[in-house]
Amino acid sequence: MRETDVIVVGAGAAGLSLAYRLCTPPPGRPVPDVTLVDAPAGPLRPPERTWCFWETSPGDFDDALTASWDSLRVRGRDGAVSVGRPAPYRYKMLRSGAFEALLAGRLEGPGAPRRVAARIDGIRDVASGGEVTGVDADGSPLTLRGRWVFDSRPPRALPPARTTLLQHFRGWFVRTDRPVFDTRTADLMDFRTPQPPHGLSFGYVLPTSAHEALVEYTEFSRGVLHDAGYDGALRNYTEQVLGLGPFEVTASEQGVIPMTDGRFPRRVGRSVFRIGTAGGATRPSTGYTFAAVQRQARAVAAAYHAGRVPEPPPAHSARARAMDAVLLRGLDSGRVDGAAFFEGLFRRVPMERLLRFLDGDTRPYEDFAIGLRTPVGPMLRTVAELPWLPRRSTEDR
């Protein structure tokens, strides 16, 4: 039995960020005793991932960035180009390994969280706070108790929802024989890809040198593809659409991000909370998560250091979630052409304002003005329909 102030389960973006914020208190505040529990090396630990976000510079993690861009491009299905410079924001690319190494260096010495490698089987309330049980790396039973427990593991099941889509993707890190990439500009959405009947697809290109880039194929749809489907889409995009010529795939990554209007509970006990995707940090309409994870971590740590109940706040406003619910239903029903919707937004709305909108940082009058640049009729019909739709679990669909 180990006693601690705070237990953080999961050492991905959400768990590691919260441990970092908790262990770097304001001047005059004590450093809490934090235990950070990660999965043991092996199949339970996720492979290296890429996180992207936008923020003003300098940022907290700039020293670990792979690259950043001050110019973003969207290509329509006909090849028409919209380019924007979202100053004061920069679009940033961060690899999970570099992020972990950066925070490990910052958290060395006294006050660093205790690291535990274990498979966690149960989390529950007890009289003194929360209890975490599992099996540690050498196979021994493990029990941890803390005043507060934060669970950042991905949810085992999605909550009941009116609409649930998946953002699923595969990316290749490529190295080309000739210099084909513009390192000044990231391609945020390239709709010159075959579009599914419901949802949308696009290419995504993050250049890190004239010869190197992360090239991804992404879909928003109800189900994922087989390996051959992703590889075929990437071959078509890199060879036929981008015309890269000879290239080498140096690494790959793949993922699935839930896009749902389900309600993720953030407090699941007197002393047990959920953070990250499990705590609703993923923006339903875009799949972006990292920036919201940082907002949640800062808010939780500030509450803890001030002696308040450290309940994670909603990662996105009620207004943003309501707008996302309308878009998701419009995409899933086929009422809204996803590629045309995003093409139109990026063509008609200044890039800086659109990024603030996607971050939920716009005022109501700005949201209204942006709404007028969407297909108003289909969106209004969807607004009228939503209150009558039941929330169902994914198993019932």
Side-chain angles (χ1 to χ4, degrees):
M1 177 75 69
R2 299 180 186 174
E3 300 278 353
T4 188
D5 296 328
V6 179
I7 303 170
V8 180
V9 179
L16 196 56
S17 297
L18 179 57
Y20 168 62
R21 301 292 180 186
L22 288 169
C23 292
T24 52
R29 297 287 184 178
V31 179
D33 181 13
V34 176
T35 298
L36 179 61
V37 185
D38 198 7
L44 294 178
R45 185 171 293 185
E48 188 166 15
R49 292 140 288 160
T50 300
W51 301 312
C52 290
F53 56 101
W54 52 87
E55 65 176 359
T56 57
S57 292
D60 285 347
F61 312 121
D62 281 0
D63 290 345
L65 295 179
T66 300
S68 68
W69 303 267
D70 60 10
S71 180
L72 299 175
R73 180 167 51 210
V74 172
R75 296 183 186 270
R77 286 167 291 186
D78 60 358
V81 175
S82 299
V83 179
R85 297 173 64 88
Y89 299 110
R90 290 184 67 87
Y91 194 73
K92 300 182 176 182
M93 175 185 183
L94 178 63
R95 296 281 283 160
S96 59
F99 177 71
E100 292 163 8
L102 177 70
L103 294 196
R106 291 181 181 179
L107 291 173
E108 290 179 345
R114 179 187 298 113
R115 302 292 294 260
V116 174
R119 185 196 75 226
I120 300 306
D121 299 323
I123 300 176
R124 66 187 184 103
D125 277 318
V126 294
S128 60
E131 182 179 83
V132 175
T133 54
V135 178
D136 67 19
D138 67 6
S140 302
L142 173 74
T143 300
L144 302 170
R145 283 187 179 174
R147 176 66 186 91
W148 306 107
V149 177
F150 296 89
D151 188 359
S152 71
R153 297 172 299 170
R156 293 184 178 179
L158 297 176
R162 294 166 295 193
T163 308
T164 296
L165 295 177
L166 300 174
Q167 179 178 156
H168 50 103
F169 58 89
R170 177 172 291 176
W172 287 344
F173 290 86
V174 302
R175 182 182 296 122
T176 60
D177 285 357
R178 59 191 180 90
V180 296
F181 299 113
D182 176 6
T183 58
R184 298 166 299 180
T185 304
D187 282 285
L188 202 59
M189 287 179 156
D190 183 346
F191 292 107
R192 296 175 297 170
T193 53
Q195 297 298 313
H198 296 274
L200 70 151
S201 74
F202 56 90
Y204 180 55
V205 182
L206 302 180
T208 55
S209 77
H211 292 265
E212 296 172 302
L214 169 60
V215 181
E216 286 189 354
Y217 172 80
T218 300
E219 274 194 20
F220 296 179
S221 58
R222 294 181 183 178
V224 301
L225 304 179
H226 296 294
D227 285 348
Y230 292 113
D231 287 341
L234 274 167
R235 280 194 299 272
N236 175 72
Y237 184 58
T238 54
E239 296 171 8
Q240 304 302 317
V241 178
L242 296 181
L244 298 185
F247 65 87
E248 174 190 5
V249 178
T250 60
S252 65
E253 66 176 24
Q254 184 168 334
V256 180
I257 301 170
M259 305 176 72
T260 173
D261 67 354
R263 298 163 179 161
F264 288 84
R266 301 182 309 281
R267 189 169 191 171
V268 292
R270 292 188 309 275
S271 299
V272 180
F273 305 99
R274 288 179 180 154
I275 56 174
T277 293
T282 298
R283 181 74 193 262
S285 62
T286 65
Y288 282 101
T289 305
F290 189 82
V293 159
Q294 300 310 313
R295 291 196 296 270
Q296 274 192 336
R298 286 192 293 266
V300 168
Y304 179 88
H305 294 309
R308 304 192 304 271
V309 175
E311 181 173 358
H316 308 287
S317 70
R319 189 170 80 249
R321 295 196 304 272
M323 291 187 292
D324 287 351
V326 174
L327 176 58
L328 289 178
R329 177 61 183 172
L331 292 175
D332 188 45
S333 66
R335 192 175 292 144
V336 172
D337 182 323
F341 177 89
F342 283 104
E343 284 177 45
L345 277 184
F346 281 98
R347 186 171 62 250
R348 299 169 187 154
V349 180
M351 187 71 73
E352 179 271 342
R353 185 183 305 166
L354 189 53
L355 292 188
R356 285 195 295 111
F357 172 74
L358 295 177
D359 245 352
D361 195 30
T362 43
R363 298 179 182 275
Y365 76 87
E366 292 177 302
D367 294 344
F368 180 74
I370 291 172
L372 292 178
R373 289 162 173 78
T374 67
V376 175
M379 298 296 272
L380 288 177
R381 288 196 294 274
T382 304
V383 169
E385 175 189 50
L386 273 177
W388 308 102
L389 295 176
R391 293 182 181 272
R392 297 180 297 169
S393 68
T394 53
E395 291 80 6
D396 296 333
R397 296 176 188 274

